[in-house]
């Protein structure tokens, strides 16, 4: 009677997903992004093991161009740039992840409530979040960082303030539209309480877009963090940090010491690119409403 | 025994107008979706609510289940007035009153497995001792609506099954709490002919098995004859005619009902050629600005002066036969 | 009713496959039929049977993943090898389409008159704007819309009026073949009756041929001279209207007709077809109705039935009527 009955094994399911993933253009994009991210993640996790020198102390002569001893050269204090870039990945990723998690922790619940309850609460929250959102990101982060001072947590918080409204807006708008979906009304009709509806019917349907926003935000957070450190509002030296190294290196640019800014700069660019590719691919994979026929 | 009684139900929706307009006009326009609807349904009977889009039939169904707050009027369920029931009391009552929507895909959470979707009402109303027992009940129900093998369907997502199977899931979810009353809002309208008949048959069988009372909302007169004991025809928020399904089919009184029946294309060329076509000109007027008097008078071939004055009352011609038309007063 | 026998459109073993990662979806598979001058051919079937794909394929307005094979002749010209540019010249002029939902096929920011002017000018650049407007108001008058509405936008029309306008637009250049894809499905039953009446009048007036695609057996009963029944990509039966309704041969046609509700209250039997149509992805040989058919034979599973000519104008794609099947294979 049933014609489409088929047994599904878990492995077969995973295989199907992977196959679909790789055959589409978005899959390749996400794959390249994922490879970049994994490389950086490994670099950050095993920085102590990989780095040939301690990134905070002098390891050779100052202003050495790249050589077999110092493959990224040394800086004005004779520290090994390669080790600094490696350890910088640790700081950059740590702060980015913390910032994004804090932002999500603020933005997602507020967005859910605001969108679902609506009315005056929604208007007030939207107003506040829009006001925050309308500030240029870096300027806002500078202002908050200036108040809070340096340190990993403080930097993460100042970045989170910038991105919380993004989550809020995405979630709120999605919830507001999902709220009028028939399956939400059907849930009401079977007698579900508001909390049940919110967590079992609304939340699962907004989560895919949260994942996408999350990975996109990570790219932004990396840049904002670098920007803060570049301006001297980030991590206190001598902790290795790409933004700080960039600003440190640019003082000597007239001496043609290109390696001091090129490698931290490249690290930022590649990591941001990795996040962007990954999130873009993920986005197309999770929202495949383009070009597919049922 | 009367299971459901509706008295003079009214629902007006405010019309959204843009900000600039709102500054300059004082008048707030309203959509007159439901305009004084009254009817009763006996226990175990099926009332068909028939009408075109904009007739207010869907809104009526939603009002009865309090998915929408009525502007005025009273609703009685099993002898008890439920119009002013609080949210929590209403929530508990939903175990007894269920709805099947038109679009089965849209009415299922895409991220919830079918089995879980059907089990959820049991969880909400704390039916069944534990999860295992609930699971058994779900499996039994899935089998009853012919989703076999039920164990396999339990773990599927709505996207992975066909339209007809989805509607079976929705029916299973609606009936798992053993309700007394079910609103079927165009429940088979989106399905293909062959599948539509399967589902109609299933709904009829379940009606007898579970002793259900249906409010069967549809735009398609032809499907009502298999399942409905009585039919009420709606036009622009009002019931214009009510009677047993046989009366409505063989002896329609209201000019609108006659037009409606004559407009149904017959799947039988010879019968179709024999049938007299009484097609009124024009379309259903905008419910924001319904015509004065009888809502059908601008399109009615028998319209008289009196029809423009006030809407005719729904009058009982004989027992169980009501018509709202000046031709019969 | 007296349809001439001049062939306007002929399909020979016409196939439309949608290419997917998992293989081809055989939406239309081996359809051969003719459309005569001034006649209406109804194409009925359930959703997913390929009837809409077939309609769109005749205008070649399918997504890029679709592959078309076989032959489709429109007034003797094969459409399959034609380029997009050549097709644009034909669309609207020789072959036009009426869609289910006019709103999605009309540009919402273009006035009604601009739609007409654009259509006319594309095919007849020599026509002046005034002449085009005159043609437009004439076409509108034919469908019962006053020319004062030329300056309105499509969204200012009600559903029925919009469909009327769509019809006017599709016939303004007097095409030889009009394809109507579920033209009344989104309309209420009374408006549907109005539009069907109008379509009949217009067709006899402009003397075009029409392929009417619909799932509604009531609509084709009123409109069509001949009816083709489609199931899962196959054209399973093609015959004059009354033959289909009163002497159907294919088991699917028979079952389909029995499961359609009518308004006759003496006929209270509700029968239905068990099961669901098969998935068309990578579907192989064999009759596609085999799993739901009460008369399945062994051969039905193994080999696709041929198009059997019962009479001159009655085709049925079923092994029951093929003489060349040995008794052994039947059992």
């Amino acid at each position: 009677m049933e014609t489409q009955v088929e047994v599904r094994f878990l492995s077969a399911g995973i295989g199907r997903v992977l196959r679909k993933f790789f055959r589409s253009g978005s899959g390749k994009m996400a794959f390249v992004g994922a490879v970049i991210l994994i490389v950086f993640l490994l670099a950050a996790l095993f920085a102590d093991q990989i780095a040939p020198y301690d990134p905070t102390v002098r390891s050779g002569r100052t202003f050495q161009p790249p050589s077999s001893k110092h493959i990224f050269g040394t800086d004005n204090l004779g520290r090994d740039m390669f080790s600094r870039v490696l350890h910088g990945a640790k700081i950059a990723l740590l702060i980015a992840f913390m910032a994004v998690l804090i932002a999500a922790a603020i933005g997602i619940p507020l967005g859910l409530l605001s969108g679902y309850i609506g009315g005056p609460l929604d208007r007030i929250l939207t107003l506040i979040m829009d006001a925050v959102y309308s500030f240029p990101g870096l300027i806002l982060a500078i202002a908050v960082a200036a108040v809070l001072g340096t340190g990993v947590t403080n930097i993460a918080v100042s970045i989170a303030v910038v991105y919380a409204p993004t989550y809020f807006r995405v979630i709120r708008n999605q919830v507001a539209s999902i709220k009028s979906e028939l399956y939400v009304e059907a849930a009401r009709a079977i007698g579900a309480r508001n909390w049940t509806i919110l967590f079992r019917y609304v939340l699962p349907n907004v989560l895919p877009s949260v994942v996408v926003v999350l990975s996109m935000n990570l790219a932004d957070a990396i840049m904002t963090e670098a920007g803060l450190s570049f301006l001297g509002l980030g991590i206190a030296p001598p902790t290795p940090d790409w933004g700080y190294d960039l600003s440190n290196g640019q003082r000597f640019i007239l001496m043609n010491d290109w390696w001091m800014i090129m490698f931290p700069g490249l690290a930022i660019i590649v990591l941001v690119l990795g996040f962007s590719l990954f999130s873009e691919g993920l986005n197309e994979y999770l929202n495949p409403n383009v070009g597919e026929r049922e | 025994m009367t299971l459901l009684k509706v008295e003079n139900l009214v629902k007006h929706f405010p019309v959204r107008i843009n900000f600039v307009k709102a500054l300059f006009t004082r008048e707030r326009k309203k959509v007159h979706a439901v305009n004084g609807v009254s009817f009763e349904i006996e226990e175990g009977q099926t009332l068909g609510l028939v009408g075109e889009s904009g007739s207010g039939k869907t809104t009526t169904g939603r009002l009865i289940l309090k998915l929408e707050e009525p502007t005025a009027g009273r609703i009685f369920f099993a002898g008890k007035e439920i119009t002013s029931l609080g949210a929590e009391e209403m929530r508990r009552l939903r175990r007894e009153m269920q709805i099947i929507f038109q679009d089965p895909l849209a009415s299922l959470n895409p991220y919830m497995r079918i089995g879980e979707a059907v089990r959820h009402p049991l969880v909400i109303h704390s039916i069944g001792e534990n999860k295992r027992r609930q699971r058994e009940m779900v499996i039994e129900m899935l089998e009853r609506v012919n989703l076999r093998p039920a164990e396999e369907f339990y773990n599927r997502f709505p996207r992975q099954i066909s339209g007809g199977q989805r509607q079976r899931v929705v029916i299973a979810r609606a009936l798992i709490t053993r309700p007394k009353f079910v609103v079927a809002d165009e429940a088979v309208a989106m399905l293909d002919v062959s599948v539509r008949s399967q589902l109609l048959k299933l709904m009829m069988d379940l009606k007898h098995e579970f002793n259900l009372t249906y409010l069967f909302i549809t735009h398609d007169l032809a499907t009502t004859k298999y399942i409905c004991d009585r039919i009420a025809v709606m036009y622009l928020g009002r019931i214009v005619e009510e009677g047993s399904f046989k009366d409505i089919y063989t002896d329609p009184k209201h000019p609108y009902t006659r037009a409606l029946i004559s407009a149904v294309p017959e799947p039988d060329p010879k019968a179709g050629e024999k049938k007299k076509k009484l097609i009124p000109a024009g379309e259903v007027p905008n419910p924001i600005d319904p015509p004065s008097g009888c809502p059908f008078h601008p399109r009615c071939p028998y319209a008289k002066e009196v029809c423009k004055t006030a809407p005719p009352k729904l009058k009982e011609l004989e027992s169980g036969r009501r018509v709202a038309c000046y031709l019969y007063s | 009713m007296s349809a001439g026998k001049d062939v306007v459109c002929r399909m020979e073993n016409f196939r439309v496959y949608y290419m997917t990662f998992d293989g081809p979806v055989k939406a239309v598979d081996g359809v051969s039929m003719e459309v005569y001058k001034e006649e209406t051919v109804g194409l009925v079937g359930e959703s997913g049977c390929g009837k809409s794909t077939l309609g769109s394929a005749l205008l070649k307005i399918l997504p890029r993943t679709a592959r078309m094979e076989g032959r489709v002749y429109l007034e003797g010209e094969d459409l399959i090898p034609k380029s997009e540019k050549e097709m644009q010249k034909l669309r609207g002029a020789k072959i036009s389409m009426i869609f289910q939902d006019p709103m999605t096929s009309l540009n919402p920011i273009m006035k009604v008159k601009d739609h007409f002017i654009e259509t006319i000018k594309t095919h007849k650049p020599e026509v002046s704007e005034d002449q085009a407007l005159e043609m437009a108001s004439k076409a509108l008058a034919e469908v019962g819309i006053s020319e004062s509405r030329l300056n309105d936008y499509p969204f200012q029309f009600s559903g029925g009026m919009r469909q009327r306008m769509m019809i006017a637009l599709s016939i303004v250049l007097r095409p030889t073949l009009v394809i109507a894809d579920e033209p009344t499905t989104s309309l209420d039953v009374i408006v549907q009756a109005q539009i069907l009446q109008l379509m009949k009048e217009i067709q006899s007036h402009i003397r075009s041929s029409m392929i009417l695609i619909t799932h509604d057996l009531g609509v084709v009963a009123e409109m069509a001279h001949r009816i083709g029944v489609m199931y899962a990509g196959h054209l399973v039966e093609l015959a004059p209207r009354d033959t289909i309704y009163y002497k159907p041969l294919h088991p699917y046609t028979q079952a389909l007709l029995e499961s359609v509700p009518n308004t006759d209250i003496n006929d209270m039997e509700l029968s239905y077809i068990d099961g669901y149509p098969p998935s068309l992805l990578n579907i192989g040989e064999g009759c596609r109705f085999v799993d739901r058919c009460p008369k399945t034979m062994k051969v039905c599973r193994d080999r696709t039935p041929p198009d059997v000519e019962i009479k001159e104008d009655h085709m049925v794609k079923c092994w029951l009527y093929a003489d060349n099947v040995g008794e052994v294979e039947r059992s």
Side-chain angles (χ1 to χ4, degrees), chain A residues 109-145:
Chain A
L110 288 182
L112 274 175
L113 286 180
S114 188
Y116 190 72
I117 296 170
L121 174 84
D122 178 41
R123 268 185 233 159
I124 292 167
L125 278 174
T126 308
L127 202 70
I128 295 171
M129 288 296 181
D130 279 358
V132 176
Y133 190 76
S134 63
F135 274 100
L138 191 57
I139 308 260
L140 183 65
I142 290 170
V144 180

Side-chain angles (χ1 to χ4, degrees), chain C residues 106-133:
Chain C
L106 296 171
N107 184 342
I109 58 161
M110 265 166 74
K111 287 183 179 173
V112 170
K113 65 170 181 190
D114 296 326
H115 279 104
F116 279 97
I117 292 172
E118 193 193 81
T119 306
I120 297 168
K121 286 271 197 180
T122 317
H123 300 288
K124 296 186 171 170
E126 73 281 1
V127 173
S128 75
E129 198 151 305
D130 284 342
Q131 282 171 308
L133 276 180

Side-chain angles (χ1 to χ4, degrees), chain C residues 93-248:
Chain C
K94 279 200 164 178
I95 179 168
S96 70
M97 188 131 179
I98 302 170
F99 293 94
Q100 173 176 352
D101 182 5
M103 211 48 211
T104 54
S105 50
L106 296 171
N107 184 342
I109 58 161
M110 265 166 74
K111 287 183 179 173
V112 170
K113 65 170 181 190
D114 296 326
H115 279 104
F116 279 97
I117 292 172
E118 193 193 81
T119 306
I120 297 168
K121 286 271 197 180
T122 317
H123 300 288
K124 296 186 171 170
E126 73 281 1
V127 173
S128 75
E129 198 151 305
D130 284 342
Q131 282 171 308
L133 276 180
E134 208 168 291
M135 288 166 78
S137 38
K138 206 178 127 217
L140 282 182
E142 283 167 348
V143 299
I145 299 178
S146 94
E147 61 175 308
S148 62
R149 303 212 61 172
L150 273 171
N151 283 315
D152 287 350
Y153 291 94
F155 67 83
Q156 292 171 303
F157 284 63
S158 65
M161 289 304 241
R162 224 179 274 144
Q163 198 56 289
R164 280 168 194 265
M165 182 206 146
M166 186 78 211
I167 292 170
L169 192 61
S170 68
I171 54 133
V172 66
L173 290 169
R174 302 294 189 248
T176 35
L177 180 62
V178 178
I179 294 163
D181 187 2
E182 303 271 9
T184 58
T185 302
S186 57
L187 302 174
D188 278 320
V189 58
I190 290 180
V191 178
Q192 162 171 292
Q194 295 167 354
I195 298 287
L196 292 180
Q197 184 56 36
L198 175 77
M199 282 171 64
K200 259 195 226 172
E201 286 166 18
I202 293 274
Q203 197 205 359
S204 66
H205 174 59
I206 71 165
R207 322 187 85 195
S208 68
S209 308
M210 178 155 74
I211 296 180
L212 175 68
I213 296 164
T214 178
H215 68 282
D216 190 329
L217 281 153
V219 169
V220 274
E222 279 189 17
M223 300 288 293
H225 303 122
R226 287 192 303 141
I227 294 171
V229 181
M230 286 191 73
Y231 184 79
H234 283 159
L235 181 69
V236 296
E237 188 159 7
L238 178 67
R241 181 188 70 178
D242 288 3
T243 313
I244 289 282
Y245 281 95
Y246 303 120
K247 287 174 197 146

Side-chain angles (χ1 to χ4, degrees), chain A residues 1-8 181-193 196 200-202 204-206 208 286 294, chain B residues 62 67 88 91 94 97-99 101 103 106-112 116 120-121 124-125 146 148 152-153 156 159-160 165 173:
Chain A
M1 199 192 82
E2 308 296 340
T3 53
Q4 286 141 341
V5 175
E6 48 182 291
V7 184
R8 289 247 168 98
E181 290 283 341
L182 199 56
Y183 57 81
V184 171
E185 180 155 350
R188 274 216 295 147
I190 59 171
R193 286 193 178 85
T196 319
R200 296 216 52 190
Y201 290 82
V202 177
N205 285 285
V206 295
L286 291 175
E294 262 213 317
Chain B
R62 292 165 43 95
L67 292 171
E88 184 55 28
R91 202 185 64 75
R94 295 200 184 281
M97 316 172 76
Q98 275 298 324
I99 184 164
F101 293 103
D103 183 349
S107 58
L108 291 168
N109 181 353
Y111 289 93
M112 211 182 219
E116 290 304 306
H120 205 202
I124 289 167
H125 297 287
N146 273 326
R148 293 189 188 131
E152 202 166 302
F153 276 100
R156 294 224 190 149
R159 281 217 166 264
Q160 297 170 327
Q165 291 170 334
R173 179 176 66 181

Side-chain angles (χ1 to χ4, degrees), chain B residues 63-80:
Chain B
L63 287 173
I64 290 169
L65 292 183
K66 298 276 298 285
L67 292 171
E68 204 84 68
E69 281 301 317
T71 310
R74 310 210 293 169
I75 305 159
F76 298 87
F77 180 72
K80 199 173 129 202

Side-chain angles (χ1 to χ4, degrees), chain B residues 51-54 146-147 162 164-165 168 192-201 204 219-223 225-226 245-246 249-250 256 259-261 263-273 275 277 279-284 299, chain C residues 1 45-48 51 158-162 164 187-194 196 215-219 221-222 241-242 245-246 252 256-277 292:
Chain B
E52 298 179 277
S53 48
N146 273 326
L147 289 173
S162 74
Q165 291 170 334
R168 288 169 191 271
D192 274 317
V193 189
S194 69
V195 182
R196 187 186 301 171
S197 309
Q198 286 176 16
L199 267 288
L200 268 181
K201 184 83 176 33
M204 283 155 66
H219 71 281
D220 182 7
L221 259 172
T223 51
K225 82 170 177 190
Y226 299 105
F245 96 91
K246 207 164 184 177
Y249 269 79
T250 53
Y256 175 67
L260 203 60
I261 290 177
V264 179
E266 287 296 328
D268 179 342
K270 282 176 190 157
E273 272 159 24
K275 198 160 130 179
K277 291 265 171 189
I279 308 300
E283 293 174 44
V284 183
R299 304 170 73 194
Chain C
M1 268 282 161
E46 302 176 78
S47 49
K51 57 188 193 299
S158 65
M161 289 304 241
R162 224 179 274 144
R164 280 168 194 265
L187 302 174
D188 278 320
V189 58
I190 290 180
V191 178
Q192 162 171 292
Q194 295 167 354
L196 292 180
H215 68 282
D216 190 329
L217 281 153
V219 169
E222 279 189 17
R241 181 188 70 178
D242 288 3
Y245 281 95
Y246 303 120
Y252 174 65
L256 186 69
L257 279 165
E258 268 167 38
S259 65
V260 182
N262 54 24
T263 52
D264 180 2
I265 66 156
N266 298 317
D267 174 16
M268 290 297 285
E269 198 63 44
L270 177 65
S271 47
Y272 57 90
I273 314 174
D274 224 341
Y276 305 91
R292 302 171 81 184

Side-chain angles (χ1 to χ4, degrees), chain C residues 79-96:
Chain C
L79 298 183
I80 304 276
K82 283 208 186 300
S83 70
E84 174 61 20
K85 252 217 160 96
E86 290 169 309
M87 281 311 294
Q88 275 170 7
K89 284 204 189 101
L90 290 177
R91 283 181 212 136
K94 279 200 164 178
I95 179 168
S96 70

